[in-house]
Amino acid sequence: MTAHAAHGASASILHQPKAVWAVAFACVIAFMGIGLVDPILPAIAESLRATPTETEMLFTSYLLITGLAMLGTSWLSSRIGAKKTLLIGLALIIVFAAAAGLSQNVESVIGFRAGWGLGNALFISTALATIVGAAAGGTGSAIILYEAALGLGIAVGPLLGGLLGHVSWRGPFFGTAALMAVGFIAIVAFLKDDADASARPEPTRLSAPIRALRQPALAVLAAAALFYNIGFFVLLAYSPFPLGFDALGLGFTFFGWGLALAVTSVFVAPLLTARMPRTRVLWIALPLLSLDLVAAGLVIEDPTALVVCIVVGGLVLGVLNTVLTECVMEATDLQRSVASSAYSAVRFLGGALAPPAAAELAHLISPSAPYFAAAGSVLVAALIVVAGHRALRRVDRVEHDVEAAEREAEAITVGDAA
């Protein structure tokens, strides 16, 4: 087993079973949903006569329900299997994305984005466990592949939103529904059924993710991610308003941001973690993100300089996303699906708070205030990681990676790849 795992660890991340590519493709489309509405926020505000705070609620309803629902995803997937959970999630996204495109007022769009978030929770949490369990090359390759899908989705989402939103703000919603239907078909075709009871993990308790947060390492990482995600979503969700670009301009701006995120997720993060402990990477990258947010606040009157800050932020965010996810996967002996659900729930709640809070800070204080507040929040995340370094010692030990890969094969059921 150990020899097999060691051999798998040397495999290229590009040599994966069809099932892994099917799930990764669907991940790209799912993550497109995060940034999809970014370029059309001003257009929605104008067309539906909504305030900036109301339009930012499109992020909040989506992320809030995603975070809360993730607390139950491991319970559900351990009972009905990964494939059914993935398909239910995709079906919900298709239905609610299409419904959002048909909406006649901002309240309806906010509500349908919440339903979209429910589907997203079922899909994203299960997809990470699925890719980790089925990918060739062990945990590291699987997480890089997952983060590449995240980065690509976040990059393409705003670009698609800008291109389709240039015609109508409804276009991006219908486009996502259509692409998700393709992802649904791909998973039906390539991911094997896991109906065999012996192939499933032991059913988890509904309270398992909450109980998982009692683990010191996971609690530290989740708390850090909550404050880090505030910075992430201020940069993503608030920036369209001070930039003042049209849908196409915003689409290309955040395509650059997402592309930068994808590149550092796949190429830079592994180089850094091969040369220094994961926690040290976090100690360096989190303050750098904070400085970038401060710079964004200082240059907010200059659109070109603000675009540079947004893209540079993407470079740092790519490193942070990959390293934090690796830390979560290695921090405990818990089933990866449980650890992922617990961490992601807290992380998305931080993201849900940021967009409307940023809009209100801009209204009450100044347009720069959201960036400065986000910089402070990211610094809090850095302090949490530093203060919790003793609890995170395990994530810096690379020698147990092969052992972890073996545990994943036993603990996470995904259906053997074709």
Side-chain angles (χ1 to χ4, degrees):
M1 179 78 171
T2 302
H4 175 74
H7 173 73
S10 65
S12 166
I13 64 169
L14 297 178
H15 293 86
Q16 300 293 345
K18 291 179 182 178
V20 172
W21 287 117
V23 177
F25 170 76
C27 280
V28 172
I29 311 305
F31 285 120
M32 282 170 53
I34 295 176
L36 182 84
V37 301
D38 224 38
I40 56 174
L41 287 177
I44 290 176
E46 181 180 353
S47 297
L48 300 181
R49 299 180 181 178
T51 66
T53 301
E54 287 175 328
T55 53
E56 294 286 28
M57 289 297 292
L58 297 178
F59 280 100
T60 297
S61 64
Y62 172 84
L63 294 169
L64 179 64
I65 298 303
T66 296
L68 292 175
M70 276 190 170
L71 296 173
T73 55
S74 58
W75 175 85
L76 181 64
S77 64
S78 69
R79 282 161 173 78
I80 68 173
K83 183 173 182 177
K84 289 180 180 178
T85 306
L86 290 170
L87 293 177
I88 291 171
L90 287 173
L92 288 172
I93 295 172
I94 293 167
V95 169
F96 285 110
L102 295 170
S103 297
Q104 301 301 316
N105 55 67
V106 72
E107 291 81 9
S108 296
V109 181
I110 291 170
F112 290 132
R113 281 281 286 178
W116 188 339
L118 174 60
N120 211 49
L122 292 171
F123 178 81
I124 288 178
S125 184
T126 310
L128 175 56
T130 300
I131 289 177
V132 168
T139 307
S141 293
I143 290 174
I144 291 170
L145 186 64
Y146 179 80
E147 292 297 336
L150 185 153
L152 186 59
I154 286 180
V156 175
L159 183 60
L160 180 66
L163 292 171
L164 296 179
H166 190 62
V167 178
S168 168
W169 67 263
R170 301 178 189 275
F173 295 114
F174 295 135
T176 298
L179 288 171
M180 270 302 184
V182 176
F184 186 97
I185 294 169
I187 288 179
V188 169
F190 296 116
L191 187 62
K192 287 187 177 179
D193 291 322
D194 43 13
D196 182 2
S198 65
R200 290 189 193 159
E202 182 123 353
T204 61
R205 297 170 61 177
L206 188 58
S207 61
I210 296 294
R211 295 164 64 88
L213 291 172
R214 297 178 184 175
Q215 299 264 351
L218 195 59
V220 168
L221 292 169
L226 186 148
F227 288 97
Y228 153 70
N229 243 31
I230 290 174
F232 185 111
F233 279 99
V234 165
L235 198 63
L236 173 64
Y238 171 67
S239 295
F241 289 99
L243 279 174
F245 296 164
D246 63 10
L248 204 55
L250 290 173
F252 280 111
T253 297
F254 284 95
F255 172 72
W257 172 82
L259 190 62
L261 188 153
V263 168
T264 52
S265 291
V266 176
F267 299 108
V268 178
L271 288 175
L272 293 175
T273 54
R275 288 162 174 75
M276 66 181 78
R278 292 178 178 124
T279 52
R280 192 177 302 167
V281 177
L282 296 178
W283 295 351
I284 295 170
L286 285 166
L288 284 177
L289 177 60
S290 182
L291 288 173
D292 182 71
L293 287 163
V294 169
L298 294 174
V299 303
I300 194 168
E301 299 294 336
D302 184 345
T304 301
L306 185 54
V307 168
V308 171
C309 289
I310 290 168
V311 174
V312 170
L315 293 171
V316 184
L317 291 169
V319 172
L320 286 167
N321 276 356
T322 296
V323 176
L324 280 168
T325 305
E326 286 181 351
C327 288
V328 171
M329 293 293 102
E330 301 294 348
T332 71
D333 290 320
L334 295 167
Q335 287 183 18
R336 266 44 183 180
S337 58
V338 173
S340 174
S341 294
Y343 166 79
S344 296
V346 177
R347 177 168 63 101
F348 277 111
L349 291 177
L353 171 67
E360 285 300 302
L361 282 174
H363 176 69
L364 296 173
I365 302 176
S366 75
S368 296
Y371 289 118
F372 297 142
S377 181
V378 173
L379 274 184
V380 171
L383 292 174
I384 290 171
V385 173
V386 172
H389 72 279
R390 290 185 181 276
L392 299 178
R393 282 180 294 187
R394 171 173 171 157
V395 307
D396 289 331
R397 295 203 303 268
V398 299
E399 63 269 16
H400 77 284
D401 282 356
V402 170
E403 175 190 347
E406 294 174 358
R407 285 200 312 273
E408 289 156 12
E410 299 168 359
I412 303 175
T413 299
V414 295
D416 292 333

